[in-house]
Amino acid sequence: VGVGRRTLEELVYRDNRLCMQASTVLERHAADASRVLDAGERVRVANAGNHAQGTLFRDGAHLVTPQLEAAIDRLARSMRPIGAESGEGDPDSDLGGLDFGRFDVRYESEESLKRGEGLGIVELNGATGESTNIYDPKCSLLCKYRILFEQWRVLYELGAWRRARGARPMRAVAFLRTLIAFERGKTGSRVAD
């Protein structure tokens, strides 16, 4: 946010978070880097938040509504179980679909998010995708561990529930092949929006 006497570059270097990604931000906004921003003028320096860009994560629990939960549940239920595309899985089984994960979403406004409308899925994180509210500065260390331990408890219970219904865990060799294929499929480490 401009103050009427500093350039965009000066503002970036004075910000505790942006200064860590100054080269990325200033490359992205090279044409405006030396421009003095008017007092109150806002410049969006990134379109997506992530750790690599120094994003401040905050707990958004106050935005969760029954309508949003229903929209996310519909999306998760629509996902096909692993193996279904090859005929191995039963897409109508109670073991199918996504039953644990974290969606990273974009939305137009808090109101549309609360209604579960106009969501753009940016990323899906599975069992290893920790709840991002643990990165909220207001969350104490004890709070962080409580959230993580609860996530792991739910995952353990879900695994036991699935096994009791006949699901077979992935074999170690298959897991390693999947991990290697994932790592080989990565396309670089550039910070992106």
Side-chain angles (χ1 to χ4, degrees), residues 73-145:
D73 280 348
R74 279 191 303 277
L75 178 61
R77 290 178 196 281
S78 74
M79 301 182 106
R80 298 179 71 175
I82 294 173
E85 59 281 350
S86 65
E88 295 173 25
D90 178 1
D92 298 321
S93 163
D94 68 346
L95 298 177
L98 175 70
D99 47 23
F100 190 93
R102 183 192 82 227
F103 290 102
D104 292 350
V105 299
R106 285 190 180 196
Y107 52 92
E108 295 175 15
S109 67
E110 287 187 4
E111 294 74 31
S112 65
L113 175 69
K114 289 177 181 179
R115 290 190 308 268
E117 298 173 354
L119 302 178
I121 306 302
V122 177
E123 185 176 341
L124 167 62
N125 295 272
T128 60
E130 73 279 356
S131 182
T132 57
N133 59 341
I134 66 172
Y135 300 111
D136 187 324
K138 294 179 183 174
C139 187
S140 69
L141 183 60
L142 184 61
C143 169
K144 295 171 193 313
Y145 278 115

Side-chain angles (χ1 to χ4, degrees), residues 133-159:
N133 59 341
I134 66 172
Y135 300 111
D136 187 324
K138 294 179 183 174
C139 187
S140 69
L141 183 60
L142 184 61
C143 169
K144 295 171 193 313
Y145 278 115
R146 182 184 50 75
I147 291 167
L148 288 172
F149 287 144
E150 175 63 12
Q151 176 178 330
W152 297 333
R153 183 193 63 75
V154 169
L155 279 167
Y156 178 83
E157 289 180 1
L158 177 60

Side-chain angles (χ1 to χ4, degrees), residues 21-32:
Q21 292 298 321
S23 61
T24 300
V25 171
L26 295 173
E27 177 184 329
R28 190 178 289 148
H29 296 279
D32 287 326

